[in-house]
């Protein structure tokens, strides 16, 4: 019996952050389990792919022009691309998977058309809500959402990173299911270190937006006053360098791979920080997006401090689970108490055990992947 085959449509999977690394991890697991993986990539791979790949033709001499805002020409081009995929792939696959990108819905739309053409079940993953992100004012948002909703309605299964994100789309409630972004899951668990009692280092890892700087300033002072140190693991920018000169903050540039970042955090941190801006107006996407860094770094076992507005998806998540180390930006006294608690071995172990239990259950990569894989085939 031949191996089952799955075709992925979208931005080429690769190392880094966001959806590309999430899809890379799922595809690697599927490949290791005996699936034949084929990639219909949005652009050339940043590193060699383990699987056969194919890029859609930009145009052919006998094809009519592609005008995205023309329903007739757009639909015609999608059908031509779907047929091109069918010719390349031959026998239809057992499953198709894609995700709704912030930058372009084109490959996901081709995936939906190809699924209709060949009859294979389509899985769609959604991590972000494009209208809330910077640059949305330069896009035709009504058109984008109309196409995204159409893609989701063609899907056999749809997975959203939060209930709040699922509620933004016009699809049946039974299709609105939540799936966490799959973590690496390979971190070495951190044990209590006497250095934590002297000066606990709290690490924030991930991209930093300018809107986060005012809250980082307050957190840096609060953490410093409690005898700790804030360290930012992020791409160095003029804004961050200015922050480090002005406030008691250290910085570390990004590492090439997630594994190296996990190793660095495990070696330096006494705790992790998940934080955004002071309000959702400055970063509106935090009302629907879930921080993959929380899932990723939970496997270090490091106590994790969440500081985010009440209406953010992460704060809503924490309230539902009665996660105690989650505070709003105006609760700096509670932040100070959290830092001071890190100096005590018993309290540190209690907080570490809390995040470790999440890593073993809700944030378990085996559980997350199995949830996705068990529903790939109709």
């Amino acid at each position: 019996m031949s191996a089952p085959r799955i075709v992925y449509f979208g931005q080429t999977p690769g190392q880094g952050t966001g959806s590309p690394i999430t899809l890379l991890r799922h595809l690697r697991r599927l490949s290791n389990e005996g699936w034949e993986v084929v990639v219909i990539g949005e652009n050339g791979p940043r590193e060699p792919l383990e699987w056969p790949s194919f890029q859609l033709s930009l145009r052919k001499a006998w094809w009519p022009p592609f005008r995205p805002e023309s329903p007739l020409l757009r639909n015609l081009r999608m059908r031509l691309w779907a047929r091109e995929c069918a010719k390349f792939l031959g026998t239809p696959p057992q499953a198709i998977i894609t995700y709704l990108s912030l930058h372009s819905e084109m490959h996901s739309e081709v995936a939906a058309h190809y699924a209709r053409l060949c009859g294979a079940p389509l899985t769609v993953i959604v991590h972000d809500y494009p209208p809330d992100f910077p640059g949305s004012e330069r896009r035709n948002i009504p058109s984008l959402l109309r196409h995204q909703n159409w893609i989701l309605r063609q899907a056999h299964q749809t997975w959203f990173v939060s209930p709040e994100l699922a509620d933004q789309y016009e699809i049946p409630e039974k299709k609105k299911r939540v799936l966490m972004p799959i973590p690496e899951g390979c971190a070495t668990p951190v044990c209590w270190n006497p250095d934590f009692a002297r000066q606990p280092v709290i690490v924030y890892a991930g991209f930093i937006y300018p809107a986060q700087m005012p809250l980082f300033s307050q957190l840096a002072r609060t953490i410093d006053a409690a005898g700790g140190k804030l360290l930012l693991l992020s791409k160095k920018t003029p804004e961050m360098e200015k922050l480090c000169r002005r406030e008691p903050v250290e910085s570390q540039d990004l590492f090439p791979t997630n594994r190296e970042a996990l190793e660095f955090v495990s070696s330096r941190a006494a705790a992790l920080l998940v934080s955004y801006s002071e309000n959702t107006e400055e970063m509106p996407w935090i009302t629907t997006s879930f921080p993959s860094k929380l899932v990723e770094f939970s496997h270090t076992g490091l106590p994790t401090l969440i500081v985010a507005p009440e209406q953010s998806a992460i704060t809503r998540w924490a309230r539902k689970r009665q996660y105690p180390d989650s505070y709003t930006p105006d609760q700096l006294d509670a932040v100070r108490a959290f830092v001071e608690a890190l100096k005590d071995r018993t309290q540190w172990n209690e907080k570490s055990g809390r995040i470790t239990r999440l890593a073993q259950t809700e944030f378990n990569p085996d559980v997350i992947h199995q949830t996705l894989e068990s529903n790939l085939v109709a």
Side-chain angles (χ1 to χ4, degrees), residues 112-124:
H113 278 271
Y114 174 65
R116 288 176 60 132
L117 178 65
C118 73
L122 171 66
T123 291
V124 181

Side-chain angles (χ1 to χ4, degrees), residues 184-201:
E184 184 81 16
C186 68
T188 301
V190 177
C191 298
W192 164 261
N193 187 323
D195 288 342
F196 299 165
R198 290 187 283 273
Q199 186 185 51
V201 176

Side-chain angles (χ1 to χ4, degrees), residues 5 15-16 44 66 80 88 97 144 153 177 187 205 235 240 251 276 305 313 332-333 340 347 351 359 364 376:
R5 183 163 54 156
Q15 291 290 337
F66 176 49
L80 289 169
F88 169 75
I97 189 168
L144 171 64
R153 287 195 292 269
R177 291 180 284 182
K235 181 180 179 180
M240 190 169 79
S251 67
Y276 290 114
L305 170 66
L332 294 179
D333 287 344
E340 291 172 344
Q347 293 185 72
K351 294 179 184 297
N364 185 324
L376 284 175

Side-chain angles (χ1 to χ4, degrees), residues 204-207 272-276 291-298:
Y204 171 93
F207 190 83
L272 288 163
L273 170 66
V274 175
S275 180
Y276 290 114
S292 59
K293 64 174 69 69
L294 174 60
V295 184
E296 186 75 48
F297 288 97
S298 69

